[in-house]
Amino acid sequence: MRVDVITIFPDYFGPLSLSLIGKARGSGLLDLEVHDLRTWTSDVHRTVDDTPYGGGPGMVMRPEPWGQALDAVGPGTLIVPSPVGKPFTQADAQALASLDHLIFACGRYEGIDQRVIDDAAARMPVLEVSLGDYVLFGGEVAVIVIMEAITRLLPGVLGNADSLTEESHAAGLLEAPVYTKPASWRDRDVPDVLRSGDHGRIARWRRDQSLLRTAARRPDMMAAYPPSSLDKADRKT
Ligand SMILES: COc1ccc2nc(C(=O)O)sc2c1
């Protein structure tokens, strides 16, 4: 997968050289390049923003540098983290992980001139996404989160791909509690079923725990969880 990130703060992306993402880059599974938007400015002050038409607080990112930057690195699928974007989900991460070329545009200030998005949409798929109902300083942190969600889904990145099938949101439920040694810790014991060796019982216990957790913490996910799959899964275990 090829990924281009365009930002006025390239140093924000140091974390993408660490851990499993760093390894994915080193092994060639992920070809990631971070670009400084100011590369595509032409004035001595390398200006990327200006006052908003219609008045109002703050500054808006100018269209010219963005247009030239996207011409240079595109076409691909353009992802623009934004407070007005669609909520980013695990399903989005799974869909994006199957694509060949992603381009991330990191907004700052009050945002990017809308014509940049409209012009890009005439030449490539554009997704405006938000991480949640809160506002960050800019898109950079959102890109790091999205990149982590996508990269871990790339074949060969996670040592044990089985982790992907049981984890929260993968199957539409929150995952069950996890335990490791010691069997007793500060007078708290690991549930006996997990030490029983009875894989059928263990699978049923984990599923029940997932359903209880999801119902308690994420009723929205439960509402979206098709009853048919509840029956199917119960038949399986
Ligand atoms: C100006 O660019 C921004 C500003 C805030 C912001 N907040 C996001 C979020 O996902 O919460 S993405 C994003 C982009």
Side-chain angles (χ1 to χ4, degrees):
M1 172 182 278
R2 166 75 185 184
V3 176
D4 289 289
V5 180
I6 305 168
T7 172
I8 60 171
F9 293 117
D11 291 349
Y12 246 92
F13 293 95
L16 295 187
S17 299
L18 306 174
S19 185
L20 291 180
I21 293 187
K23 287 187 183 143
R25 294 174 73 179
S27 68
L29 284 172
L30 175 64
D31 174 17
L32 183 141
E33 187 171 354
V34 178
H35 307 270
D36 186 339
L37 177 66
R38 296 185 197 276
T39 303
W40 290 280
T41 59
S42 49
D43 63 302
V44 68
H45 297 297
R46 312 187 78 194
T47 310
V48 293
D49 62 314
D50 205 332
T51 53
Y53 274 118
M59 303 291 274
V60 174
M61 299 192 93
R62 295 172 51 233
E64 299 94 328
W66 277 110
Q68 290 170 43
L70 293 174
D71 290 348
V73 306
T77 295
L78 177 61
I79 301 150
V80 186
S82 164
V84 300
K86 165 192 172 298
F88 184 76
T89 66
Q90 186 67 16
D92 294 323
Q94 283 160 349
L96 293 175
S98 67
L99 301 180
D100 292 330
H101 186 194
L102 305 179
I103 303 167
F104 288 95
C106 299
R108 279 274 154 170
Y109 311 110
E110 299 304 315
I112 302 171
D113 186 300
Q114 182 60 41
R115 291 168 293 181
V116 173
I117 311 297
D118 298 343
D119 176 66
R123 292 174 287 137
M124 63 187 94
V126 178
L127 284 76
E128 290 186 79
V129 294
S130 168
L131 293 191
D133 294 339
Y134 45 77
V135 183
L136 305 173
F137 283 119
E140 284 79 7
V141 167
V143 169
I144 292 172
V145 170
I146 293 168
M147 273 306 299
E148 187 156 312
I150 292 170
T151 304
R152 60 193 300 281
L153 298 175
L154 297 179
V157 171
L158 277 187
N160 179 2
D162 290 348
S163 314
L164 296 175
T165 53
E166 294 298 318
E167 64 188 6
S168 293
H169 302 281
L173 293 174
L174 301 182
E175 63 188 281
V178 291
Y179 300 85
T180 187
K181 303 179 190 64
S184 187
W185 176 73
R186 293 187 181 181
D187 296 330
R188 297 177 188 277
D189 298 340
V190 172
D192 290 337
V193 62
L194 295 180
R195 302 177 65 214
S196 68
D198 182 336
H199 297 297
R201 271 189 68 210
I202 291 168
R204 280 192 299 277
W205 181 86
R206 283 177 168 160
R207 176 172 185 72
D208 291 348
Q209 290 295 313
S210 286
L211 289 167
L212 286 169
R213 261 184 169 186
T214 308
R217 300 178 185 181
R218 292 294 304 273
D220 59 304
M221 286 175 68
M222 272 315 270
Y225 198 72
S228 55
S229 61
L230 281 171
D231 299 340
K232 222 183 298 164
D234 292 341
R235 276 199 297 275
K236 259 194 287 187
T237 53

